[in-house]
Every structure is written in C-alpha cells, then in structure tokens.
Amino acid sequence: AVMKRLRDERDRFVGFVVQSVEEEFDATHRLFGHARFLDDHRIQVGEDKIVHAERIVIATGSRPLYPDAWMRDLGDRVIVNDDVFCWDDLPESVVVLGGGVIGLELAQALHRLGVRIRHFGRGGGVGPLSDPDVRAYALKTLADEYGFDPDANVLSIARDGDQVVVRFIQDGAETSERFDYLLAATGRRPNVDRLGLENTSLPLSPKGQPLFDRMTCQIGDSHVFIAGDANPDRPLLHEAADEGRIAGENAGRFPDVREGRRRARLAVVFSDPQIAIAGSGYAELKAADASFAIGEASFEDQGRARVTGKNKGLLRVYAAHGSGEFLGAEMIAPHAEHLAHLLAWARQSGRTVEDMLSSPFYHPVIEEGLRTAL
C-alpha cells in the first residue's frame, strides 16, 4: 500500500513535468539522444545530428556512485535508491552502505516497514552534520532504533546464492551477516564524464569536473554554463532551480555575464526526528576561523515536543561575537524542516540574535525551543 501510493504520487508529479515539456516546447527544438562535445561549439546528438551552439548550458544531473567491484561481484543483489521504489514487495533484509542523506532516510524507512536493517557508514558521518554534539545526539537516537554504525569496519562483501554476505567487526569481534540486498548509498557522481569534455578547451579539475563560478555558473570565461547536480556544489532542488535561472540568463546575454543571487544554506534530512542545517554549519565556521558563540536547546523537556510524544532532539545555534549576527545552526529535532526555514531566512536577511528574540513566539509550539537556544 505504501509503495502503490508512493508510485502514484511520483507518476503524478513527473507527469506534470513531462506534459509541460511536450506541450510548451516546440517539437523542432527537442532533440533526443546522447549528447557529446566535438569541440567548443559543436555537439553531436545521437548518431547523426550535429548542433552548432553559440552558448551552451550543461544540466545533465548525477547518478549513484559506488565501487565497480560491487556490481561485478554482487550483480542484481546490489541496488541504488531508485530501485527500492520498483519493488512490488519488501525483502526480509537489507544492508545499507553510506551514512549520508539517502542512506539515513531509506535505512530508517525500511526498518519501520519491517525490513531487517544493518546500516554502515565510513568516517563517523551522520548525514550533513558537522557539530560534534548534534552529530553524537543524532547517532545515539538512530542507533537506538536500528543497527547503525557510522564508522564501520567492514572486512568483506561477497555474494552467496541470492544473498549478500558481509563480514564486519562488532564490539571488537569479527562477525558476518546475510542480507537479501546491498543498498549502495555511497554518494553521487555528476554526469559529465561521458560528454566529451576532453574535446573542448574548458578548464577541468583533475577528476574531469568543469571548473565554474558558483555565482555566475560560468565555466572558466567560456560560453558554457553548468547548473544543477551536474556540478557538485549544492545538489539540492531549490539550489538547482536557482542555478538554472542564473545559467540560462547568463547564456542568453553572454558575454554580459552577471552574478546571480544565491540563498543561505538550507539542508534537510527527512529522517525522524528530522536533521537540518541552516546558514553556516559548525565545520564551516571553524574552517573560516570565525569567532562565534553557541546557544543550545534540548527538546527532551520542551513543552510541545513532550505533549506530542516527539521529545527527542538537540538544536545548536551560532552567532558572531561582538555584532551578535546570527550565523547558522545545526539540529536534530521534531519539525526541523520548519525551524531550519526560519533560521535560513534570518541568516539571509542578516538578523542578529537580539532581533530574532524580539520576534513573536507563540505558546505552546516547537519554536519555543529555538527561543531557548537563542
């Protein structure tokens, strides 16, 4: 029932996009086929079409990234996030590799649907969190619910029949466990490696990624622009929409290239409790050697959180010493998506903590926890 509703809603949303392209784009302007640069201005589409373009926008998206050996050794026992939504039934067990956003959301969802889960990460990361206190709280909260180890020592992964056998260290001892599938949530790779960029004069990183200005989306000083998760800057939908507008406008008026407006950072993990970062995160401030104070609030005894039975969470907010300017926040909290929006707006408008505390806080609401932290 969950899958049917999910697929129905997915098809409905995607249908609107497909319909808009088919109805609003002149058919003569739509070319279908793999596109490849022949040089700076010529692109081959499919086998027989060559397009000469004065300006170009690359918006080719990204794909899941995982070791080639997994596909070679595990075959159809290794899956990515898209595959989960094609299932007609649930497997008995899944091992999830990757402690990022996709890994966190799907591991918890599958666990709550009754699938036996092991979730392994590397390096201790819990989603996008960098604040050590918030990360530790998030780890304990998730690990108390299901088997999550963000810094796992996985010794080997092998296929045995229709199962995946994982050997790992647990509590100092070697153990092994069998699973129906391995869900690879180990990151994504921009789809630029098959575009023939080597045939152009575009500046590229050692990994073959176009070097671009995030404020203009221009690659080098060229007539080529890049938008969305074809670049690894901030692979989120609202950021991609901004980049599309910036890249499109600059391509249209090239060589008159202008900086576009970029928004304060906003990142949300739809786990339960939700995880979010608004504005500058802890690690970003530390890397910039910023002088900042930290305010903190627990949701364990916060009024509204207790009343609703959702009293788990920790919020940490950061503000500049001297000016009191609000800089950012990291959190795991009930309804963190809404708290994060308020804080991202505050950051973008340059508000101080004093300004924010002069704003209204209703009672009883989750936002009272934010007031405590401020």
Side-chain angles (χ1 to χ4, degrees), residues 3 17 51 68 76 82 122 124 145 186 206 227 238 242 269 277 297 333:
M3 287 296 188
V17 178
V51 179
D68 292 338
D76 62 1
D82 289 346
R122 178 183 293 179
E145 182 176 346
T186 45
H238 67 285
D242 287 346
V269 182
I277 297 180

Side-chain angles (χ1 to χ4, degrees), residues 167-194:
R167 291 173 53 245
F168 58 96
I169 301 297
Q170 183 179 23
D171 299 327
E174 180 180 324
T175 187
S176 67
E177 204 166 328
R178 304 172 75 90
F179 304 91
D180 293 324
Y181 290 98
L182 182 151
L183 171 57
T186 45
R188 297 185 69 84
R189 177 178 186 174
N191 289 326
V192 297
D193 53 316
R194 301 169 188 167

